[in-house]
Amino acid sequence: AAGRGADAVEQRIASEDWAAAADAVALEGGALVRRAPETVEAWLAALPPDHSRRPELMLLAGQLAHGRGRLAEAIEHCRAAVSGFDANGAPPFLRFAARFALADISLALAELADAAALGDALDRAGAGRAGGHRARGPGALRGGSGAL
């Protein structure tokens, strides 16, 4: 099934239906960001800038940059993802994922105060809900429950 997903992304990019291509990259990229980073990087590079600035794609770009050791770039992309998700009222698990990625990079840079502030923000976000945050797997990004 992963091959069909990747093929669908390639087809959307080839058709230059940029909105559909961005949707497809957002849907399939998370599953490949660690296993096939070159593929995801090529998909993001193929998108026009006005489509690649979506928060979910900025988060992918941040994850890629982090994996390649480009930490300053990763921070920039993840901050943009956090801002974008906050601005568009994204579901809590997406806002959590972006903040978690940003905190992870902050720790790698030994920016402990920044990481602690992000941790506090995550705690406050879950404080009012019964059961707090529930762990979710990658399937949650595709609309499945993904509950762990």
Side-chain angles (χ1 to χ4, degrees):
R4 288 191 301 262
D7 290 342
V9 174
E10 297 290 341
Q11 290 170 358
R12 300 288 190 299
I13 290 171
S15 73
E16 297 185 3
D17 180 351
W18 300 122
D23 288 344
V25 172
L27 181 65
E28 300 296 334
L32 297 176
V33 74
R34 299 278 184 242
R35 292 183 296 129
E38 298 84 9
T39 299
V40 179
E41 204 161 46
W43 292 345
L44 291 172
L47 296 172
D50 57 322
H51 290 280
S52 64
R53 289 189 194 109
R54 291 172 35 173
E56 60 270 40
L57 300 181
M58 294 302 293
L59 181 55
L60 283 175
Q63 292 171 321
L64 288 167
H66 186 197
R68 300 234 190 262
R70 299 186 314 245
L71 301 182
E73 181 183 337
I75 286 274
E76 180 182 320
H77 289 310
C78 288
R79 282 185 179 144
V82 167
S83 295
F85 284 141
D86 286 349
N88 72 17
F93 76 91
L94 288 176
R95 294 193 315 265
F96 177 89
R99 281 180 171 77
F100 187 86
L102 186 55
D104 188 36
I105 299 161
S106 294
L107 287 172
L109 289 168
E111 294 178 359
L112 302 181
D114 289 347
L118 287 162
D120 289 343
L122 292 171
D123 285 345
R124 283 190 306 276
R129 293 187 295 165
H133 292 290
R134 192 173 84 183
R136 295 176 152 249
L141 294 173
R142 293 190 176 150
S145 76
L148 297 176

